[in-house]
Amino acid sequence: MIKTRFSPSPTGMLHLGNARTALFSALYAKGNDGRYILRIEDTDQSRSEKKYIDTLKNDLHWLGIEWQEGPDVGGLAGPYFQSERADIYDQYYRQLEASGRAYPCFCTDAELAFNRKLQLSRGQPPRYPGTCRKLSKEQIAKKIADGLTPALRFFVPEDKTIEFVDLVKDLQRFNSSDIGDFIIRRADGGSSFMFCNAIDDSLMGVTHVLRGEDHLTNTPRQLMILDALQLRKPEYGHLSLITNEDSMRLSKRKGSFSLHDLREEGYLSLAIVNYLSRLTHSYEDSVLLDFDTLAKKFRLDKLSRSPARFDRNQLLHWQKEAVLALKNDDAIWQWLGNTVKDKVPTAKQHLFASVMQKNILFPSDANQWADILFGEGPSWNEEKLALLNNTSADFFKTAQEVFQKHQGDLKVILDDLKKSLNISGKNLFMPLRLALTGEEHGPELVHIVEFLGMDEVLKRLKDPRL
């Protein structure tokens, strides 16, 4: 059975890059009748916070991503918080030390920094020089007796080729001599990412790991760890990164495009899912698809090796499609919220929901229109007044007379105004729209008149230049 996972660290809000990773893993599992694991990698206790775990779970549920193993669900391979798995990691640390594949390292940060600087000055790739590799048991015991606390390094054999077939990037080869011995347990006792991440993927039965290509160089290290422990290895696929509008990598630490913020802004989950599912993955369908259909059509061979650039216009396109896909008034009002609903007269709420669905992208847009239509009316500034420069002095007086004469029959009213004022097109519609709403664009005039009612229409049809 195919089993995928999403393993975030709860150190900040989920951004679009990590959300895409979570989504692709979920789509692949669901599309192949597999299982999906949520694992919280909270070994960095100084930066991990419960509020981020709660927000993370809410964000995933909102996207329609459900996990079959993990927090709030359980599972046979738990616990699913790495902070609760220290005993498991210690067991494998002891095994590596006993087999000579790991050793204590007492080098200080200053010593390591000096070595890196020296290697770079010689044009060499920075790697650990093996200073502590040959320490005797007596030397190790003395350093510990002197109060020094060692880190634990993985022993990397020289000049060995590590290769694997990446699910996205095909065959990958690395030379162990370019890697060097790396830390798998910090001096403070904390487990390194690449160690516990690899151990957990194997023990939890993960078959396919989809993650960002920034993890590509971790993969040979993790494969060596699993080989040394004779643990089953998953298949790895490294997704091309998403860059922001400045061509910089999306970053959780920089707060780039937080899913929580987009949700608060009023983006619909279906819009986000349809946008993300097409970032470095191609679908033949260019229409809005539900989660199950996206999963059914998701294929690893449709993943691109090229990076994707965040395109807000594309995101807005899917937002528009998702708004239009809202099926009824209840769904629309749930999205718009009570703040908007309370401003709209009960008798006009159905019409408002129907009209707004075709004219807005966000609840804030509807809130603005509720204020315009059911508030005190438009406000004027020099920019808006300038739009009336080509409007005749008797336009509004004539408009009042014609509206009153025909009592809301807009087609007849417009035909009459065209004849009476000898104008048409923008010269006719723009002054009317500005007078009634203060906006150049928006719902059709027929709906605006219906929302306002005749008394309010006549009240607003006054020349603001006077």
Side-chain angles (χ1 to χ4, degrees):
M1 174 186 288
I2 285 176
K3 185 181 283 191
T4 67
R5 54 81 166 166
F6 180 51
S7 55
S9 56
T11 56
M13 296 295 187
L14 189 67
H15 66 74
L16 285 182
N18 282 339
R20 180 198 57 164
T21 300
L23 176 64
F24 281 11
S25 296
L27 292 176
Y28 186 62
K30 189 175 184 65
N32 290 278
D33 296 322
R35 293 178 68 80
Y36 183 72
I37 296 174
L38 175 62
R39 183 175 70 236
I40 305 299
E41 302 201 336
D42 57 345
T43 54
D44 188 349
Q45 289 293 293
S46 64
R47 295 176 56 226
S48 298
E49 296 186 41
K50 183 180 183 302
K51 67 177 182 180
Y52 293 131
I53 298 175
D54 294 338
T55 301
L56 165 73
K57 292 189 294 184
N58 288 336
D59 284 343
L60 293 178
H61 284 311
W62 178 67
L63 287 178
I65 295 175
E66 304 296 334
W67 49 97
Q68 288 72 55
E69 298 179 35
D72 306 326
V73 176
L76 297 178
Y80 294 93
F81 287 83
Q82 287 188 337
S83 59
E84 300 174 8
R85 297 175 65 82
D87 290 345
I88 297 173
Y89 306 140
D90 287 343
Q91 169 191 340
Y92 289 104
Y93 286 136
R94 290 192 294 270
Q95 185 174 331
L96 289 174
E97 287 187 276
S99 65
R101 293 305 304 271
Y103 60 90
C105 175
F106 298 88
C107 294
T108 65
D109 290 342
E111 290 170 334
L112 295 173
F114 176 78
N115 284 324
R116 282 195 296 269
K117 185 176 181 180
L118 185 62
Q119 289 169 333
L120 289 172
S121 70
R122 295 172 176 172
Q124 300 171 339
R127 50 162 290 186
Y128 181 66
T131 306
C132 295
R133 181 188 284 189
K134 297 181 180 179
L135 289 176
S136 66
K137 291 182 179 179
E138 292 74 19
Q139 289 173 313
I140 292 172
K142 184 178 185 307
K143 288 180 179 291
I144 293 175
D146 290 340
L148 297 179
T149 304
L152 190 66
R153 283 190 182 272
F154 184 80
F155 187 105
V156 177
E158 294 289 335
D159 202 27
K160 178 181 177 181
T161 299
I162 304 104
E163 64 180 35
F164 65 97
V165 178
D166 191 277
L167 297 170
V168 180
K169 300 180 179 299
D170 293 333
L171 183 63
Q172 301 291 308
R173 286 193 179 95
F174 296 85
N175 190 302
S176 63
S177 297
D178 296 330
I179 296 173
D181 299 349
F182 53 89
I183 290 176
I184 54 177
R185 186 179 64 207
R186 299 185 296 273
D188 64 4
S191 299
S192 73
F193 156 79
M194 69 184 68
F195 181 81
C196 49
N197 179 272
I199 297 297
D200 288 345
D201 282 341
S202 183
L203 297 183
M204 292 180 180
V206 175
T207 61
H208 295 73
V209 172
L210 297 179
R211 58 187 182 183
E213 66 181 5
D214 52 324
H215 288 291
L216 183 60
T217 55
N218 290 327
T219 304
R221 294 167 169 82
Q222 294 182 310
L223 290 174
M224 285 190 288
I225 290 171
L226 296 176
D227 277 337
L229 292 169
Q230 297 183 329
L231 292 175
R232 185 197 54 79
K233 294 173 288 187
E235 295 186 68
Y236 293 93
H238 293 88
L239 307 171
S240 300
L241 299 180
I242 306 172
T243 60
N244 63 22
E245 292 163 317
D246 297 322
S247 298
M248 300 294 289
R249 173 190 164 195
L250 292 185
S251 169
K252 178 169 63 175
R253 292 189 180 184
K254 295 180 181 178
S256 297
F257 309 105
S258 157
L259 200 65
H260 178 267
D261 289 345
L262 292 173
R263 181 180 179 181
E264 290 295 307
E265 193 175 337
Y267 280 95
L268 290 164
S269 61
L270 194 58
I272 301 293
V273 165
N274 271 267
Y275 177 65
L276 288 179
S277 65
R278 291 169 169 86
L279 281 179
T280 68
H281 182 277
S282 60
Y283 283 91
E284 294 180 1
D285 303 279
S286 58
V287 297
L288 193 76
L289 301 175
D290 61 28
F291 194 98
D292 288 350
T293 305
L294 288 169
K296 182 179 179 180
K297 295 177 179 290
F298 184 87
R299 291 173 49 186
L300 295 178
D301 60 5
K302 293 292 185 179
L303 290 167
S304 170
R305 301 179 189 180
S306 302
R309 185 175 180 181
F310 174 77
D311 186 335
R312 190 173 293 276
N313 288 331
Q314 274 297 307
L315 180 55
L316 291 175
H317 162 76
W318 291 113
Q319 172 71 358
K320 182 64 176 177
E321 293 298 309
V323 172
L324 292 175
L326 292 172
K327 295 181 179 180
N328 51 51
D329 283 3
D330 287 342
I332 296 171
W333 282 117
Q334 184 177 1
W335 172 56
L336 293 180
N338 290 332
T339 300
V340 178
K341 191 172 185 178
D342 291 344
K343 295 179 180 180
V344 182
T346 303
K348 296 182 179 180
Q349 286 181 357
H350 173 74
L351 178 63
F352 187 84
S354 176
V355 170
M356 288 301 114
Q357 184 178 18
K358 301 171 185 176
N359 285 275
I360 64 171
L361 289 175
F362 301 103
S364 58
D365 300 331
N367 189 57
Q368 180 182 352
W369 276 107
D371 288 336
I372 289 171
L373 295 170
F374 308 110
E376 296 182 357
S379 58
W380 294 88
N381 55 34
E382 292 185 5
E383 184 179 351
K384 289 182 179 180
L385 289 173
L387 295 173
L388 299 176
N389 286 342
N390 295 326
T391 302
S392 63
D394 61 343
F395 178 91
F396 292 103
K397 181 181 179 182
T398 303
Q400 279 185 324
E401 294 172 352
V402 172
F403 267 86
Q404 195 161 25
K405 175 182 176 182
H406 298 293
Q407 287 296 308
D409 189 336
L410 192 62
K411 184 179 184 307
V412 176
I413 289 171
L414 294 177
D415 287 341
D416 195 336
L417 285 174
K418 288 178 184 178
K419 295 176 183 177
S420 301
L421 298 170
N422 194 29
I423 58 174
S424 61
K426 184 177 180 180
N427 290 333
L428 172 62
F429 292 102
M430 180 65 73
L432 287 175
R433 182 176 292 280
L434 284 170
L436 297 178
T437 69
E439 300 294 325
E440 298 178 64
H441 309 285
E444 296 179 14
L445 277 174
V446 63
H447 295 312
I448 291 172
V449 171
E450 190 172 356
F451 283 128
L452 294 175
M454 186 53 55
D455 289 344
E456 184 65 19
V457 167
L458 294 174
K459 178 182 174 182
R460 296 188 182 193
L461 282 176
K462 297 179 180 179
D463 194 335
R465 297 169 296 184
L466 300 178

